[in-house]
Amino acid sequence: MDGTTNAQGGRVSSPRPRPAALPRRTLLAAGAATLLTTAVAVRPAVAAPSAATALTWYDATAEAIAAAGAATQITNSRTWAVAWLAAARATRAVPAGAGHGTFRRAALSGAVHRALVTLLPGRAEQLDATLRQTLATLPGGPAREHGLSEGRRQADLLLAERQGDGLDPASVDAPYRVKPAAPGVWQPTPPAYAPAAQYGNRLATPFLLPTQSRFRLGPPPALDSRRYAEDLAEVRAYGAVGSTVRTARQTETATFWLGSSLTLSTRPLRVALARSGEDVAGQARLVALFHTALVDTQIATSDTKYAYERWRPVTALRTGALDPDPAWTPLHTTPAHPDYPSGHNTYAGAAETVLTALTGPRTAPFELTSPTAPGVTRTYTAWRQLSVENTDARVFSGIHTRSADEAGLVLGTRVARHTLQNAGPLLAAR
């Protein structure tokens, strides 16, 4: 969208054209060739029969986290990653003589169940019931019992491996000392002026990144640059609570994508899972790589955010040197951490990269709803569409500059590519 439509139906040009999409380097590198060789095909729009077990446990994971998950998004992403990475490891190899389908379905069930009841013990009763129901659909015998045992074993090993990784809520929201107020420097934002959140992410142990700063971005636009001036002009006009140029559709976009990135990604990933055409092992791998990439992306996001500590638009527009307006207020409340890069968009970039690599760039139409926009349903046919809307949404909300949004897509894409290209050792059974 290089321009928008105002309330009177006329065209309003955006302050600058959107840069061309990032060049897509091939993901068929040595470390990822086996993983990605089927990525180019558009998958069927119906679930394969073997998808039933994976979808059952996908839904059980989503329900358990929604009911008993942590207040910190990355902690919940970690729960997804641990449960499904254990399943991916457990389903990768089948002992000689065992029925492949039965073993793998039991292994996935055992791994996800064991990880979830350990991390979310308050949901044990519901998860135990799901396990009983799943096992009842499988033929009894050694294949089922060995698969169940292997799933539990891989979960226990992974839980021990990730113990003390710094992704618990207390570590994630470690205290952060705010720097003295100065041009460009992040300060707590109205109305709550809450302390900084997610500082501890940058200190956590990644799944695959060699260091938290491996993909640290270059600095945001300088305060005296043309790009910075254009960013502020755009968010001032389109992101204000009383904007006269933001259309109803743009306001809806901002509200639709306002919620948790984890929550908003759950449905698209489920669509991809149901349509993947993969066997149980491939399905477990898809969910595992999606969430391990997103954990590492969130770690990398906080590393860059707190390396540069760029102030939010509300602070820049109220107190900065460019036509300050002490009364300027964004459409939506600004989150309590620095502007650059946008976490929503690092998440979107990583999610798009994984889904595109493992299921193809397009799919049959699917519908999404949002908890922050009741009654609104949107239809999509390509994962890229989700990234584009996320980028616009944060500007229309008045809580990010477009530079921060576009930088977020770059960072998320880079981290996800690294995950895909180095996934072999991560997926190997212990």
Side-chain angles (χ1 to χ4, degrees):
M1 181 175 58
D2 295 327
T4 58
T5 306
N6 63 23
Q8 290 73 41
R11 296 290 291 175
V12 177
S13 298
S14 298
R16 60 180 173 280
R18 176 175 287 107
L22 288 172
R24 294 275 180 188
R25 297 176 187 172
T26 179
L27 290 176
L28 301 180
T34 301
L35 195 65
L36 305 181
T37 50
T38 61
V40 296
V42 177
R43 302 297 186 180
V46 295
S50 63
T53 300
L55 291 174
T56 293
W57 282 104
Y58 187 92
D59 293 341
T61 306
E63 290 164 2
I65 290 174
T72 45
Q73 177 169 289
I74 195 170
T75 307
N76 294 324
S77 294
R78 175 190 187 270
T79 298
W80 274 100
V82 167
W84 286 82
L85 181 54
R89 290 176 176 178
T91 57
R92 192 161 191 186
V94 180
H100 282 59
T102 297
F103 178 92
R104 282 177 166 157
R105 291 169 67 189
L108 184 148
S109 303
V112 178
H113 173 267
R114 178 62 66 89
L116 292 180
V117 297
T118 303
L119 297 172
L120 304 171
R123 300 298 293 175
E125 181 179 353
Q126 293 82 359
L127 293 164
D128 288 349
T130 300
L131 181 62
R132 289 192 298 270
Q133 293 163 7
T134 303
L135 294 179
T137 68
L138 303 178
R144 187 179 75 178
E145 297 311 311
H146 290 165
L148 183 62
S149 177
E150 178 63 7
R152 289 168 171 166
R153 187 178 78 86
Q154 291 296 337
D156 289 341
L157 289 171
L158 186 53
L159 287 163
E161 179 184 322
R162 295 299 301 182
Q163 188 172 7
D165 60 9
L167 294 172
D168 58 284
S171 299
V172 167
D173 283 334
Y176 165 76
R177 186 173 182 176
V178 179
K179 301 289 176 60
V185 176
W186 183 83
Q187 300 292 304
T189 51
Y193 296 94
Q198 302 177 13
Y199 174 72
N201 282 3
R202 72 191 304 239
L203 309 175
T205 302
F207 278 91
L208 274 175
L209 293 179
T211 65
Q212 296 90 337
S213 61
R214 171 64 179 82
F215 292 106
R216 182 179 294 175
L217 297 169
L223 300 184
D224 60 354
S225 67
R226 178 179 178 181
R227 179 69 189 262
Y228 175 74
E230 290 173 343
D231 276 344
L232 279 195
E234 181 182 29
V235 76
R236 184 195 300 271
Y238 287 86
V241 66
S243 173
T244 59
V245 295
R246 187 182 60 242
T247 67
R249 174 72 176 183
Q250 291 167 341
T251 300
E252 180 186 283
T253 296
T255 303
F256 190 89
W257 293 103
L258 183 61
S260 157
S261 294
L262 179 62
T263 301
L264 293 168
S265 73
T266 300
R267 174 63 181 167
L269 178 56
R270 192 187 191 282
V271 169
L273 182 68
R275 299 175 178 181
S276 69
E278 296 281 356
D279 62 11
V280 171
Q283 292 165 336
R285 181 182 62 203
L286 169 61
V287 181
L289 292 180
F290 186 94
H291 285 288
T292 54
L294 292 180
V295 169
D296 281 7
T297 293
Q298 290 172 81
I299 291 171
T301 299
S302 288
D303 172 78
T304 293
K305 277 183 179 288
Y306 287 99
Y308 298 114
E309 302 169 308
R310 173 53 64 96
W311 60 5
R312 287 280 186 160
V314 64
T315 308
L317 290 167
R318 288 187 177 191
T319 67
L322 298 178
D323 193 18
D325 178 1
W328 189 89
T329 300
L331 173 64
H332 293 128
T333 300
T334 301
H337 41 77
D339 177 57
Y340 179 89
S342 160
H344 259 56
N345 284 284
T346 61
Y347 213 102
E352 178 195 342
T353 300
V354 173
L355 292 176
T356 297
L358 299 185
T359 70
R362 301 185 64 83
T363 186
F366 67 94
E367 294 183 343
L368 284 186
T369 59
S370 168
T372 54
V376 176
T377 299
R378 291 192 167 190
T379 301
Y380 303 92
T381 57
W383 312 122
R384 179 63 179 166
Q385 293 168 332
L386 310 180
S387 299
V388 170
E389 287 196 5
N390 262 280
T391 300
D392 289 338
R394 307 310 266 177
V395 174
F396 300 151
S397 283
I399 58 181
H400 273 301
T401 59
R402 189 168 294 276
S403 288
D405 293 337
E406 292 172 349
L409 292 179
V410 171
L411 180 57
T413 298
R414 289 173 179 171
V415 174
R417 285 173 175 166
H418 180 271
T419 298
L420 294 167
Q421 291 167 353
N422 295 277
L426 182 72
L427 294 168
R430 274 32 177 185

